[in-house]
Amino acid sequence: MIKKNRMNHVQKNGVPCGDHPRAWLFRYRITGLLTMSAVALVLLSACGMNDAREGKPSSGTKPGQQLTVIDTDAARQQVTDELVVSSIDKLGDVYARSWLSDEELIVERQTRLLIHNVKTGKERALLPDRKAPQLLAVVSPDQRHVFFTEGSTSSKYDIRGYILELSSGKVTPIGKLDMSNEVSWGDKEHLITGAPDGKIYLIGLDGKAKELKFQDPNRTELITHVEKVGNAIFYTGNDKQGYRVLNRFTMDHPQAVTIANGAASFAVSPDGKWIAIEKRKWNTSEPARMIVLDEHGKEKGTVGQGTLMSRGSWSSDGSKLAFSIYDEDQQGMRGLYVFDQSTGKTTPVTTDIQSYDSPTVWSPSARFLSMYQNISEGEKQLNQSYIVQFKEK
């Protein structure tokens, strides 16, 4: 499973980006910075639901304004239930990685992992005694462990993974990581990852990897993204023509079945009841759509549309879906959005964030949302992180 890493730096949650020929695959689409512009709503029909109500804001929509994209009974709730942005703070020259709590966010600053307190602004080292360059950090669902990666002072291609037990400070190695390894938490006791040979592995807290056996007649040589929710395993695969699909199998029934066609990326809610996919029609100029499916793959509605999208990110209770989007159409959707299941509405958070190749990460209670993107200051390229705080209902 574990091979030599070919990367010059790591840009997102478990997905390294570098100068390897495959690196484009993990930038989600086209590289480069995109300028901010107006935000407008694109409404599409929802399968098995009432017709959506169209709303088109004027240029320069302010954070906290609402756009209805899925019409549900929940949308009739009071205004007090709607999602409202309280503040958006910026952290200069830093990668926001993962939340330890609603007050503490792990960030990477100049190849060191730090714990940033969002209330005081103070920072302390996550691993003060380790000297190797530190890159990624992903907190487990129960906030007891952190998966992190380190580089080598002798070779930028030598990337290794570790599990930190927060209570004791114990560090367990899991070995070298190939540049195509995207590692995430499958549950509180296991990491999960796809491999360049088309295999899927669970990695325990002891650092030992176990291959998951499954059958897929169209299995690819590279599985770029995999998620585990309960007993079910979801991953991006291919159909017979080589186009991307979302597949699922279970630990008890290892025959993979296709849940959705044209799935360029996906995210499953923690309870497994909802799936957000970026759906694309290949070899066309049609924009991609962010679609919410139920657990059986039935389309419930479209919550966004545009040229480029980040992978969706569900809050821990599955009530909210965050994603950023860029559209070539000046009147299209651009910026960071949050879809709220309780109201059936999508809120434009800010047009400042249009990064489609970096993760959006929720704090445990979903009061905060973090994301980063590259910005230009003269001839310099810097990492700008954002912390969005929502008003309590």
Side-chain angles (χ1 to χ4, degrees), residues 3 11 20 46 59 62 68 80 122 191-192 207 217 221 229 274 281 288 318 335 351 372:
K3 299 183 180 179
Q11 291 291 327
H20 189 280
S59 175
K62 296 180 180 180
T68 301
T80 53
K122 295 182 178 180
L191 296 166
I192 191 165
E221 294 182 357
V229 180
W274 304 100
K281 288 187 178 180
T351 56
Y372 65 79

Side-chain angles (χ1 to χ4, degrees), residues 29 45 57 66 130 190 202 214 220 236 247 280 284 303 316 320 337 340 345 354 360 362:
R29 313 296 162 252
S45 61
Q66 303 289 342
R130 300 181 73 87
H190 297 90
L202 279 181
F214 67 101
T220 62
T236 47
N247 288 340
R280 289 184 174 273
T284 73
V303 299
S316 60
K320 300 176 183 65
Y337 292 81
D340 191 340
K345 295 183 179 181
Q354 298 180 34
T360 304
W362 290 96

Side-chain angles (χ1 to χ4, degrees), residues 28 33 72 77 102 114 125 133 140 155 163 169 183 203 207 214 226 260 268 285 295 304 340 346 353 366 375 382 384:
Y28 285 117
L33 261 294
T72 66
Q77 295 185 28
D102 275 357
L114 306 173
S140 64
S155 173
I163 297 174
V183 183
I203 304 172
F214 67 101
V226 57
V268 186
S285 58
E295 56 190 317
D340 191 340
T346 290
I353 305 173
I375 61 173
L382 300 177
Q384 179 78 64

Side-chain angles (χ1 to χ4, degrees), residues 138-179:
V138 188
V139 179
S140 64
D142 60 0
Q143 286 84 48
R144 293 185 177 183
H145 295 86
V146 178
F147 162 72
F148 69 96
T149 62
E150 288 184 341
S152 170
T153 55
S154 60
S155 173
K156 64 182 179 180
Y157 301 121
D158 184 9
I159 304 296
R160 296 174 181 268
Y162 301 87
I163 297 174
L164 167 67
E165 185 179 57
L166 289 167
S167 61
S168 66
K170 178 184 176 182
V171 174
T172 302
I174 67 172
K176 289 185 179 181
L177 300 177
D178 185 272
M179 68 84 57

Side-chain angles (χ1 to χ4, degrees), residues 299-314:
E299 293 190 8
K300 306 303 293 183
T302 298
V303 299
Q305 174 174 297
T307 307
L308 302 168
M309 294 181 181
S310 69
R311 180 187 299 158
S313 176
W314 292 98

